[in-house]
Amino acid sequence: MTTMTLFHSPLSPFVRKVMVVLHETSQLERVKLQAVNISPVSGDPQLNQDNPIGKIPALRLDDGTVLHDSRVICEYLDLQHVGLPLLPREGSARWRRMTLVSQADAIMDAAVSSRYESFLRPEDKRWDGWLQAQSDKIRRSLANLEQEHLPELMSGFDLAAIGVACALGYLDLRQPEFGWRERQPGLAAWYAEVAKRPSMVATSPVA
């Protein structure tokens, strides 16, 4: 039975992360998708009504409460299902995995910011230094994942792994020339496998 509404744009990597979690935890049937089309300079009145910052994803619960920010929504959904948790519930392992979740979100933030700067801003007002800084942030983060965190990513498809997979998928969508696979072959091999998961196939964005 549908009990929640997800404000949704299929090209958002943050929305995709929530959608993957819904698939992985068998909660998709509980959610109605409400399509929105927003940008940094144009919002959606219905979204803004109970979500004053106008962010997506946003999840309206059956009692009318609206959760926003993908990390908040994913943790909420993780507490609602009966299978294995997608994040450790306590201890040092929890904080380590949450830091990886944050790192994946930072890659997505940088990639989305680059998209806005290079696509929405008029060409004569684009800031090349900003774009380079975002690119450097992404490259540092991917190098760190390759060097330090591959065993953790391979240990299970939890919230950290879901976030990294969605970040890499968004890079492929919006910056196919980025060339991350050549620099991170281990990460590329891992992603090639997780991209075959039904949850990733079902949520694959099409520009």
Side-chain angles (χ1 to χ4, degrees):
M1 180 181 297
T2 300
T3 61
M4 300 179 285
T5 299
L6 179 67
F7 293 92
H8 168 274
S9 175
L11 298 185
S12 163
F14 298 101
V15 169
R16 187 184 188 191
K17 183 172 67 165
V18 172
M19 292 297 297
V20 171
V21 169
L22 287 170
H23 279 273
E24 291 285 337
T25 60
S26 301
Q27 297 185 78
L28 192 62
E29 71 282 354
R30 297 182 59 200
V31 176
K32 172 189 173 184
L33 300 181
Q34 177 69 47
V36 294
N37 184 19
I38 61 173
S39 78
V41 295
S42 64
D44 179 280
Q46 188 175 359
L47 176 65
N48 294 344
Q49 183 176 353
D50 298 305
N51 175 18
I53 60 174
K55 289 185 66 172
I56 58 170
L59 184 69
R60 178 180 288 137
L61 308 183
D62 57 356
D63 65 357
T65 300
V66 177
L67 307 180
H68 53 79
D69 188 275
S70 62
R71 265 181 280 184
V72 175
I73 296 170
C74 287
E75 286 210 48
Y76 173 81
L77 294 173
D78 190 27
L79 292 172
Q80 301 305 305
H81 73 110
V82 296
L84 292 173
L86 296 179
L87 274 181
R89 297 289 190 238
E90 59 186 6
S92 60
R94 175 175 175 80
W95 306 117
R96 186 173 178 86
R97 301 304 279 187
M98 288 181 70
T99 300
L100 275 181
V101 170
S102 177
Q103 186 167 333
D105 281 356
I107 295 170
M108 288 189 267
D109 275 328
V112 170
S113 294
S114 296
R115 170 68 176 176
Y116 288 155
E117 184 70 22
S118 61
F119 183 74
L120 290 180
R121 192 182 294 276
E123 188 172 358
D124 63 332
K125 293 181 170 61
R126 291 173 191 166
W127 187 0
D128 290 339
W130 171 267
L131 288 169
Q132 186 60 54
Q134 303 314 304
S135 177
D136 290 346
K137 184 186 299 184
I138 295 169
R139 292 206 183 278
R140 288 195 306 270
S141 295
L142 295 182
N144 174 261
L145 291 173
E146 175 88 1
Q147 296 163 10
E148 304 290 339
H149 299 294
L150 270 180
E152 292 168 88
L153 292 176
M154 292 176 178
S155 67
F157 202 56
D158 64 359
L159 282 182
I162 290 169
V164 172
C166 291
L168 295 175
Y170 188 75
L171 284 176
D172 283 351
L173 176 71
R174 293 304 195 193
Q175 300 184 50
E177 75 289 349
F178 199 76
W180 64 270
R181 286 174 174 79
E182 292 77 14
R183 299 186 184 209
Q184 283 83 44
L187 196 61
W190 170 80
Y191 179 69
E193 288 303 311
V194 299
K196 299 174 186 175
R197 293 181 72 92
S199 62
M200 290 291 290
V201 173
T203 59
S204 180
V206 178

